[in-house]
Amino acid sequence: MEQRLTIVGLGVSDLKKATAFYEEKFGWEKADSSTDTITFFQLNGILLSLYLREKLAEDAQVPHEGNGFKGFTLAHNLRSRAEVDQLFSELKQKGVTIVKQPEEVFWGGYSGYVSDLDDNLWEIAFNPFLELDEKGNVSEE
């Protein structure tokens, strides 16, 4: 198996509301390939998809019930602490749920968490040990 990630799929309770959240709160544009039953957002090299939770669970042949911590987070890294603070300020003004305010963290970075409408956690961070290229991709150089 090649070492890559193509799509992150999130099961959501209401596709229209979840799509509006990412468009209005994060300022993202949905991809032309989106339909009435699935929304795609083109990220830097991968897709984020939104699909009804029950249907996604049915496709995987697993139960859809469950709540609380999902065992994963999504991360959006920025180039400075100031950028993290600025983005948190903008998201708060838009009514996004702030789970944890940005702070210096044990691993040497600066981060906080927000959640979407389905309680998917987004870490917004500055990692001084992670190089980002001009497009925001992780650079190994």
Side-chain angles (χ1 to χ4, degrees):
M1 181 170 165
E2 294 179 25
Q3 188 170 314
R4 65 180 155 91
L5 182 63
T6 310
I7 299 173
V8 172
L10 297 180
V12 299
S13 57
D14 185 312
L15 184 60
K16 287 183 182 183
K17 287 181 180 178
T19 300
F21 174 90
Y22 284 93
E23 289 178 316
E24 296 167 10
K25 308 301 184 182
F26 282 16
W28 292 359
E29 295 180 26
K30 65 182 179 179
D32 292 339
S33 55
S34 299
T35 68
D36 290 343
T37 59
I38 192 167
T39 299
F40 292 106
F41 292 98
Q42 175 67 55
L43 306 181
N44 53 329
I46 65 171
L47 291 174
L48 175 71
S49 71
L50 307 178
Y51 194 63
L52 287 176
R53 180 182 175 109
E54 292 83 5
K55 295 291 187 183
L56 189 58
E58 181 182 310
D59 183 50
Q61 299 180 352
V62 298
H64 74 274
E65 298 87 6
N67 56 24
F69 183 61
K70 298 176 184 199
F72 74 93
T73 62
L74 302 160
H76 180 83
N77 282 74
L78 297 164
R79 292 176 179 83
S80 71
R81 290 177 178 183
E83 286 183 9
V84 171
D85 289 337
Q86 178 63 36
L87 185 52
F88 265 86
S89 177
E90 292 170 11
L91 293 174
K92 183 177 181 179
Q93 290 174 1
K94 292 179 179 182
V96 173
T97 300
I98 308 297
V99 176
K100 177 185 145 193
Q101 289 290 335
E103 63 181 35
E104 291 185 26
V105 288
F106 69 94
W107 48 266
Y110 183 74
S111 74
Y113 287 86
V114 300
S115 68
D116 70 8
L117 299 178
D118 290 279
D119 296 324
N120 293 300
L121 294 176
W122 282 87
E123 180 187 28
I124 299 172
F126 165 64
N127 182 339
F129 312 108
L130 189 68
E131 292 288 328
L132 300 178
D133 68 15
E134 66 281 349
K135 293 182 179 180
N137 295 310
V138 175
S139 175
E140 285 291 317
E141 298 175 9

